[in-house]
Amino acid sequence: MKVTAAVLDELGAEFSLRPLELADPAPGEVLVEIVGVGLCHTDLAVQHGHLPFPFPAVVGHEGSGVVRAVGAGVTKVVPGDSVALTFNSCGACSECLAGSPAYCARFMEVNFGGVGGDGTARLHDGTTDVGSNFFGQSSFATHALAHEANVVKVPGGVPLELVGPLGCGVQTGAGAVLNALDCPEGSSLLVTGGGSVGLSAVMAGRVRKLSTIIVVEPVAARRDLALTLGATHVIDPAAGDVAEQVRAIIPEGVKFAVDTTAVAPVLAAVLASLAQQGEFGMVGVPSDPTAALSVGLLEMQARGLRFRGIVEGDSNPDVFIPYLVELFKNGEFPLDRLITTMSFSQINEAVAVQARGDAVKIVLTHG
C-alpha cells in the first residue's frame, strides 16, 4: 500500500516527507494506522550516525494507532484495536522466555537490521529498498508494520496519541526506578537530565513514594516542571559542582541515581554523589559509541557501589505499559504534562524545537 513517510536519505540529512510502498503484513506482522508518534533521541541518533541503521531510512519507534490488518498467526490483536508500539524482541531466546525481552539476545538484529523477519525490506521507494522495521515498526509514517511481539493493546479512556512515548522513553525512565533499580519507598534518588526519560523517572519516584528526588537539569523551565511532577529538589549544573550541591541536600549522598545523559563529566558527578552502597543506573545513549566509563576500582569496592546499564527500563511491555496507562488514568502519572503535539508535516521543525529545550516530548500527529 502507499504510505507517506519521513525519510532520512543519508547521514545528517533532514527528514523528507514522500510516498513509499509498504508491504502487506507477513505472518506475525500487524499493520497499524499511526495516530501519533513520539520524537525520541534514539531516532536522531540514527540521523547523526550514533546508532547503526541502513540509509535511506524510516525511523520512528514511539508509535500509537489503530490496527488495520494482521498477518497469519496473529492472535494478540485484531483490526480496530488501539495499540501502542514498542521495541521488538525475538520471543525465543532465554531472556525473552524469562520475561526480560529488553535484553533479547537478538535485540540489535530485530530492532536495527532494517529489514523484516524474512530478511526483506518492508518499505520501498520505487525499486529502492528503504531501511525499515526500526524498533520493529518504523512509525514515522502514516502506517507502519509492527510485530505481534511489539504491539500492546491500549485500554479505553486515554487519548491514543499520548501513549506512543510509553513504548520507549517513558517506560525507560519509569522502569529504571520501578523495575531495574526497584527503589524502595522512602529512599533517595538523583536524576541527571530533565527530558522525558528523566521526568518519567521523577514521576515514578513519586509513585514509589521516595523521600528525596533530586533533578540535575540546565534548563530552568524543565527544573520548574520537575518540581511540579514530584522532584523535591532541583540543581542547576551551572551553579557549581554537582556532587557538592547534592551533598548539601543529603550529606551522605543518594542511594540511587538514574543518568539519562551518557556524558562522561556527568557520570563522574553521579558517582561522586552516591552514598555508601549506592546504585547507579545508566539509560542514556552516548553520542560516541566507543565511549567508556572511567571509575576507580578500589573506590567501587570500598564504597560498595553498583553500576548497571538499563535497556527500556527492564520492561516487559505487555505488563508495564498497561500499568503506566492505569497510573495515568488514576492521576498518578501525568504523562500529558510532558507532551507537546505538532503536525507530522512539521517533523524537521519539531526536531529543532526539542533540541532547543522548548518542549520536553513532542508527539507528531496526523490529520
Side-chain angles (χ1 to χ4, degrees):
M1 65 179 293
K2 286 289 185 184
V3 303
T4 299
V7 183
L8 291 171
D9 285 302
E10 60 186 8
L11 184 65
E14 288 195 335
F15 291 95
S16 172
L17 267 64
R18 61 175 183 266
L20 299 178
E21 188 72 26
L22 180 65
D24 293 331
E29 291 185 341
V30 179
L31 175 65
V32 178
E33 181 179 358
I34 301 299
V35 171
V37 55
L39 178 62
C40 181
H41 171 72
T42 309
D43 301 308
L44 306 184
V46 172
Q47 183 183 31
H48 298 295
H50 302 152
L51 281 173
F53 201 70
F55 293 98
V58 174
V59 292
H61 65 289
E62 290 185 344
S64 60
V66 179
V67 175
R68 293 306 181 202
V70 299
V74 173
T75 59
K76 187 178 179 181
V77 292
V78 299
D81 282 344
S82 295
V83 293
L85 309 184
T86 186
F87 62 90
N88 198 14
S89 54
C90 77
C93 70
S94 59
E95 294 295 331
C96 286
L97 293 175
S100 299
Y103 301 99
C104 173
R106 296 175 56 201
F107 189 95
M108 294 300 291
E109 173 190 346
V110 300
N111 287 285
F112 298 106
V115 294
D118 61 1
T120 64
R122 314 311 285 148
L123 285 165
H124 298 88
D125 189 358
T127 59
T128 301
D129 290 350
V130 176
S132 53
N133 197 44
F134 183 66
F135 273 78
Q137 53 183 283
S138 287
S139 50
F140 278 172
T142 53
H143 296 75
L145 277 176
H147 304 261
E148 187 167 32
N150 70 308
V151 296
V152 178
K153 190 173 179 179
V154 176
V158 56
L160 185 54
E161 67 273 12
L162 295 184
V163 302
L166 295 175
C168 185
V170 173
Q171 78 174 349
T172 294
V177 172
L178 300 175
N179 299 329
L181 299 178
D182 193 17
C183 303
E185 180 178 342
S187 58
S188 55
L189 172 69
L190 173 67
V191 178
T192 47
S196 61
V197 177
L199 293 178
S200 295
V202 168
M203 293 190 293
R206 182 166 65 177
V207 168
R208 189 52 66 88
K209 299 179 181 178
L210 304 188
S211 61
T212 305
I213 303 173
I214 305 169
V215 175
V216 180
E217 167 57 46
V219 178
R222 292 187 177 188
R223 294 197 300 271
D224 292 342
L225 178 59
L227 289 169
T228 71
L229 294 175
T232 58
H233 304 79
V234 292
I235 287 174
D236 180 357
D241 183 87
V242 168
E244 290 181 1
Q245 292 188 73
V246 170
R247 290 184 181 274
I249 297 166
I250 182 167
E252 291 188 352
V254 291
K255 278 293 186 180
F256 299 94
V258 174
D259 174 70
T260 71
T261 71
V263 174
V266 179
L267 302 183
V270 170
L271 288 169
S273 301
L274 288 174
Q276 295 295 100
Q277 299 194 71
E279 188 164 359
F280 171 24
M282 192 184 80
V283 302
V285 177
S287 57
D288 177 4
T290 66
L293 176 68
S294 178
V295 58
L297 298 182
L298 183 59
E299 179 188 10
M300 289 286 288
Q301 182 181 37
R303 295 177 60 203
L305 303 182
R306 293 179 293 277
F307 169 82
R308 62 167 300 168
I310 300 171
V311 177
E312 296 288 349
D314 277 18
S315 301
N316 181 338
D318 284 328
V319 176
F320 197 56
I321 289 177
Y323 170 67
L324 293 178
V325 169
E326 286 305 309
L327 288 177
F328 170 74
K329 291 171 66 175
N330 294 336
E332 299 176 74
F333 195 87
L335 168 68
D336 56 318
R337 298 282 307 282
L338 306 182
I339 292 176
T340 300
T341 58
M342 295 181 67
S343 169
F344 182 68
S345 64
Q346 297 175 290
I347 184 169
N348 290 308
E349 180 182 344
V351 171
V353 168
Q354 198 155 287
R356 291 196 302 267
D358 295 343
V360 174
K361 168 62 70 174
I362 291 177
V363 170
L364 303 167
T365 60
H366 297 279

